[in-house]
Amino acid sequence: MSHPEFTSKISDGPPQLPAEHANPQFGLIDVIEAFTAMRHEWRGQTQETRQLAESVQSTAANLEILQTRLASLSDEQANDESRKLAESLVELDHQLTRAVEVFRNVEARRAVDQARRIERLQADFQRHSLITRWFARPVLNSALQELDVSGNEQSADNTANEGLTLLLGKLRTLLKQHHIERIETTGRPFDAATMHAIGAVADSSQPSGNVAEQLAPCYFWQGRLLRCAQVQVAR
Amino acid sequence: MAKEPIIGIDLGTTNSVVATVIDGKPVVLEEDGEGILPSVVAIDSNNKLITGTMARNQLAAFPDRTMASVKRHMGTMESIMLGDQSFTPPEISAMILRRLRDRASRALGQPVSRAVITVPAFFDENQRQATREAGELAGLKVERIINEPTAAALVYHAGSVDRKHILVYDFGGGTFDVSVVRMEDGVVEVLSSKGDTKLGGDDLDMALMNHVAEDFEKQHQIDLRENVSTKFRLLLACEKAKQSLSTEHTVTIAEEFIAEKDGTPLNLNMQVTREDFESLIVDMIDRTIECLDRAIADSGVTSHQIDDLVLVGGSTRVPLVQRRLRQEFYREPSRAVDPDLAVALGAATQAAMLNGENVGPVLVDVTSHTLGIEAVDGSMFGSRLVFTPIIHRNSPLPAQYEESFSTMSADQEKAEIHVLQGEHEEIDRNRSIGKFVLDLSVGTGDRSEIMVLFRLTLDGTLKVTATQTATGRSKELSVQNALSQFQDEQRDLAESRLGAMFEASDEILDEADLPPRQQWTQVPSESSVSTELLSKYPEAANMLEKMEGLKAELTEEDAHELRVLKQQLIKAMLSEDETEMKIACKELDDVLFYVQ
């Protein structure tokens, strides 16, 4: 039994195709059927591709939303925390500045009082006769010594004041590092955007409408208003 | 195209707020992080109009060109001078409303021209008309003027159809109002309203300030109220202390170098307990309760018929207010929504309803149970153990509250803190959620006070800290899932117990016998789409109609695919999700093209 293909190869003539391999006879219905099959296949593919593309797209969009939300949340959170820190720093600055001012005033007043007391003592001493003054010299010396002791106390206060001032200096450096700006308002025209008026006072040293007394300064943080100044305005 | 929003405005005496409904939720519209606008207008040194915080900033220095509390003048046509110009009360109100309108436009990114504005229930027709005119002058079409208590009631009960009587207790910064409101089938009616226009949170601050100043005067013979600057510092400190006393039992009012005597600087350092503060304000709170009783009497309902107590205004945060209301009504007041914003949120809810939007009540996380500890209740007839609430039911989360207790005897060495959850005075009728023992240090001096602080987070973690005040000795207990009905170990126990019972039972199906999951989900049907929706979305309606026409010609495979897409489209229509609708229509169009 010979194989038909083998037979065809050794024969000289053109190959004789079997009946089922003969040129097909295509009708219009066959074309439509083939087209319908192709269409179904294409539809299936495009639908799958489209679904895949859509799911990738929606995942990407969701990721983007998530990322933006996370970023804004952490930004907001960080901003809130930083703001609270900045507010605490300015409160500390305000209190420490007030403490240093009070210390300075007390110190200055003490120095004036001391000088007055010595002056008074010496004036009183001079009112007496020469003999009385001669005999009262130990009393004067002891009184002056006493005043000297209180002068030493004053120098201890000076050191404390100096320490406070140094501390304040460090705090101001820290404020600068954190972009916090302190703005003094005394003498400036009242500005409702950055100052909160708690009253009006008669003050001839300031033009009417300018700040006569500052209770608290104004603070800016990163260029934005952090805290309004509290002021009394000249009438 | 989206509808133009209608905004809700709470035009208050001291502060004003604007809100709107976004995605079904009422939200306050902010400007630079600020939701509250002081109801103050002014002319600055350049003759320019300023409003809000800036105007309030200049009130004390330039009262001749600044106007606050204009609401008190509404209904009159008296002339109000701002610098050298004269205005009527509606004109001044219009300036505030215009600022709020612009705030809303900026926040929403679109022009806003329609609003619902709230007014006090006692406002007469003249006052309401004046408010309406103010809105129009501000460039707003005033869709409705509603009562403030109505707005507050809507925040908690929007969408409710049952007949309800709601008492709205509004204790703001400068005024007090109480109203009884009836809600039924979407109709809200104010049955009665009483108030005191000269009583507010500012009076509470003043009472505390006077107390502190008098104490300081006793010690140093200096009245801190005489100097404007000192008085201002003291008032600020007292206002802050008042706020802290809402959650803390004791606060320290400390102001360094507040005065000088004989050249020596003086500091203010004073401790104030909640009891001290409450004794100072109790008469004022009693006045509000008298108003409340009169309002109930006028309304024709009894206090037993009141279904809810709604708290509005910042002063309702004072624990004494809440305690007195609990005593009067034997129920927990609703205070989950920020009381400073509730009226504006209610106005926004009403505005959205007018605009055809579906809005429910504002939902806020609150504690579902009262949390407290076991303590001895002593009276002349003896003593007994009772449940003492610390964080009350309906408190907004996160919640924090501190209460003071004392030991039974001076030489007590231990204190057991037994934490309970429930609503009953009898210990056994509540659920125990944990206990711990605090070792006390015995010694000289009064060591009896023990502070118990409860802190409840949004995720339901409760931290209980007990501290012996005199020594600072402290111990903490942390309870996870304090809000759930079961504790972890109890839940495990319950699960295993029930699991065994289910397994043994012939009635209960095994997991494997359960029908497939999809059979349990509800499939949206075409009949669930209203004619209104069909006419609202013609493209989708057309697609559904087309599909119906081709039904008979479909192969089984195509029919299945179309069924899936049809459900997708109906679902999108029901949820009015236009994007999903477009996608479904496009896909349907594609499929219909092939099958046609």
Side-chain angles (χ1 to χ4, degrees), chain A residues 39 42-43 47 50 54 95 98-99 102 106 109 190 192-193 195-199 213 215 228 230 232-233, chain B residues 50 54 56-58 60-62 228-229 232-233 236 255-257 260 263 265 558 561 587 590 594-595:
Chain A
R39 203 180 62 178
W42 177 81
R43 210 177 76 195
Q47 205 165 3
R50 199 168 49 197
E54 272 170 9
Q95 289 173 354
R98 189 156 55 196
V102 169
V106 169
R109 228 176 1 241
F190 176 79
M195 302 173 194
H196 174 58
I198 62 154
E213 186 195 341
L215 269 80
C228 271
Q230 289 159 2
Q232 289 233 64
V233 180
Chain B
I50 51 174
M54 271 172 74
R56 192 184 56 187
N57 278 350
Q58 74 160 48
F62 306 102
V228 179
S229 309
F232 179 74
R233 268 182 76 185
L236 278 189
E255 283 293 311
E256 72 290 345
F257 315 124
E260 254 187 40
D558 286 337
E561 197 175 343
E587 285 195 16
D590 279 355
Y594 294 117
V595 296

Side-chain angles (χ1 to χ4, degrees), chain B residues 11-16 37-41 55-56 59 66-74 76 78 80 89 92-93 96 123 173-175 197 202:
Chain B
L11 186 60
T13 309
T14 318
N15 294 309
S16 297
L37 181 82
S39 305
V40 187
V41 299
R56 192 184 56 187
L59 178 63
T66 314
M67 181 64 194
S69 305
V70 70
K71 195 172 169 181
R72 294 185 195 273
H73 304 269
M74 290 298 268
T76 70
E78 63 189 78
I80 295 167
I92 302 281
S93 286
I96 301 166
F123 257 28
T175 58
T197 52
D202 298 343

Side-chain angles (χ1 to χ4, degrees), chain B residues 333-575:
Chain B
S334 293
R335 56 201 169 96
V337 176
D338 185 332
D340 291 318
L341 311 176
V343 170
L345 293 172
T349 303
Q350 172 71 77
M353 285 169 163
L354 287 175
N355 219 8
E357 291 173 51
N358 223 342
V359 197
V362 177
L363 297 175
V364 180
D365 287 318
V366 292
T367 52
S368 47
H369 303 285
T370 299
L371 296 160
I373 64 163
E374 183 179 320
V376 177
D377 178 29
S379 70
M380 59 189 293
F381 304 109
S383 56
R384 64 192 182 112
L385 281 170
V386 292
F387 170 56
T388 310
I390 293 184
I391 292 182
H392 284 269
R393 190 156 61 99
N394 276 354
S395 300
L397 294 177
Q400 178 174 322
Y401 199 74
E402 188 183 44
E403 197 67 79
S404 159
F405 295 87
S406 64
T407 55
M408 293 285 287
S409 63
D411 57 351
Q412 195 170 318
E413 290 178 349
K414 286 177 193 304
E416 189 187 64
I417 310 293
H418 184 194
V419 185
L420 298 154
Q421 174 192 289
E423 314 302 326
H424 304 282
E425 206 179 48
E426 295 88 0
I427 300 291
D428 296 341
R429 296 182 69 190
N430 299 291
R431 194 166 70 80
S432 168
I433 55 171
K435 55 171 82 169
F436 65 99
V437 173
L438 174 70
D439 290 322
L440 303 174
S441 161
V442 193
T444 51
D446 181 13
R447 295 179 175 220
S448 61
E449 190 179 56
I450 294 172
M451 288 291 184
V452 180
L453 172 69
F454 271 44
R455 276 170 297 173
L456 185 60
T457 62
L458 266 171
D459 62 5
T461 304
L462 173 70
K463 282 193 173 153
V464 179
T465 314
T467 311
Q468 186 179 24
T469 313
T471 61
R473 276 197 180 192
S474 175
K475 202 165 179 182
E476 188 174 273
L477 168 78
S478 185
V479 184
Q480 305 292 328
N481 297 325
L483 297 174
S484 77
Q485 208 59 39
F486 292 101
Q487 277 183 298
D488 285 348
E489 62 267 36
Q490 284 175 318
R491 186 187 287 111
D492 293 346
L493 193 69
E495 270 177 11
S496 68
R497 201 168 48 216
L498 289 176
M501 284 174 77
F502 292 158
E503 212 161 293
S505 165
D506 296 329
E507 287 177 354
I508 307 286
L509 290 176
D510 286 341
E511 196 68 33
D513 299 331
L514 287 173
R517 178 78 52 196
Q518 61 267 30
Q519 291 190 16
W520 294 89
T521 55
Q522 200 185 342
V523 179
S525 69
E526 202 172 337
S527 60
S528 51
V529 182
S530 65
T531 46
E532 195 191 337
L533 277 176
L534 289 170
S535 58
K536 194 170 172 186
Y537 302 109
E539 193 194 352
N542 184 32
M543 204 55 75
L544 286 172
E545 200 182 330
K546 226 170 175 183
M547 228 183 318
E548 199 58 30
L550 285 169
K551 223 170 168 180
E553 301 163 27
L554 297 174
T555 63
E556 200 182 327
E557 194 192 343
D558 286 337
H560 174 73
E561 197 175 343
L562 279 175
R563 258 200 310 276
V564 173
L565 286 171
K566 184 180 166 184
Q567 279 166 19
Q568 205 175 312
L569 177 62
I570 291 172
K571 216 167 131 191
M573 286 176 85
L574 290 174
S575 59

Side-chain angles (χ1 to χ4, degrees), chain A residues 82-120:
Chain A
S82 309
R83 194 185 166 92
K84 273 183 204 161
L85 183 71
E87 280 168 355
S88 306
L89 280 175
V90 304
E91 180 59 24
L92 192 64
D93 176 65
H94 172 50
Q95 289 173 354
L96 198 56
T97 308
R98 189 156 55 196
V100 169
E101 271 168 21
V102 169
F103 243 95
R104 271 187 203 148
N105 291 342
V106 169
E107 199 181 286
R109 228 176 1 241
R110 266 197 197 165
V112 171
D113 286 353
Q114 175 100 334
R116 270 192 202 142
R117 256 181 256 148
I118 294 173
E119 251 175 50
R120 242 190 343 253

